[in-house]
Amino acid sequence: SSSRIEHLLNRLVAAMPVEEMYFEVGVLEGRTLAAAAFHNEQKTCWGCDTQEKYALGPASFPPNVRYIPQSWEQVCLVGFPKPLGILFYDGNHEAVAVYECLRALDPYLADEAVVVLDDWDRASTRQGAFAAAEVDGHYRLLREMPEYGDGLTCAPHHFGYYFGVAVWGYRRFTPL
């Protein structure tokens, strides 16, 4: 991820209520998780990664950050101490994987939450996100920040959003 993504996540966490938490799927070496938590010591930040793709993991984090070397599915079995106010997804970018994660984490999201999807320039990421959004109407695409590459064969420009990101709003409806 680029520094623009790191700054985006950091500012979102800064604006997130302390009664909610940040959750990151796909931590790799931990740059975005560390960036989200930077100067946000009062905020709860969790991240998970199976370390299967690159066999890498982060070194260490401040006390408000918890790194879990497992899949998001395994984390869901344990649950979260707070509603997810911000979800950053940089996991498997196949359409079905994006769809399944968004649908499965739906019950854990705060009544109003922000979801940031990395590698938005990949058609599969967009397909999974729009499929999840069609199911119940809780998700709204707020902003696309593309890199205008395909996410696989084009080198990043090194000043933008590295294969793009999308910011989605989530609002849980309350029945009348």
Side-chain angles (χ1 to χ4, degrees), residues 45-145:
C45 299
W46 283 16
C48 70
D49 197 309
T50 60
Q51 301 176 352
E52 292 175 3
K53 187 172 182 181
Y54 297 107
L56 293 171
S60 63
F61 291 107
N64 65 315
V65 177
R66 180 174 176 199
Y67 170 68
I68 306 161
Q70 297 177 335
S71 68
W72 62 263
E73 294 95 336
Q74 292 167 309
V75 176
C76 285
L77 293 175
V78 176
F80 301 92
K82 300 177 179 184
L84 306 180
I86 301 167
L87 168 64
F88 176 54
Y89 184 85
D90 193 11
N92 181 338
H93 296 295
E94 295 174 16
V96 68
V98 173
Y99 172 85
E100 288 174 352
C101 185
L102 292 177
R103 296 297 302 140
L105 289 176
D106 184 281
Y108 301 100
L109 293 172
D111 289 342
E112 292 187 342
V114 174
V115 176
V116 179
L117 298 175
D118 201 20
D119 296 318
W120 188 245
D121 287 357
R122 293 185 185 190
S124 60
T125 301
R126 293 189 305 274
Q127 290 166 352
F130 284 115
E134 288 177 15
V135 172
D136 57 22
H138 290 178
Y139 291 97
R140 294 283 184 262
L141 179 60
L142 301 177
R143 181 93 173 158
E144 295 178 285
M145 287 93 83

Side-chain angles (χ1 to χ4, degrees), residues 25-39:
V25 175
V27 172
L28 194 57
E29 293 177 325
R31 282 186 43 203
T32 49
L33 183 54
F38 185 71
H39 285 308

Side-chain angles (χ1 to χ4, degrees), residues 2-35:
S2 71
S3 61
R4 284 185 184 225
I5 295 170
E6 293 171 2
H7 286 283
L8 170 68
L9 296 173
N10 178 265
R11 299 317 307 152
L12 287 171
V13 171
M16 178 183 70
V18 294
E19 300 82 24
E20 299 173 1
M21 66 180 284
Y22 170 87
F23 184 53
E24 180 171 314
V25 175
V27 172
L28 194 57
E29 293 177 325
R31 282 186 43 203
T32 49
L33 183 54

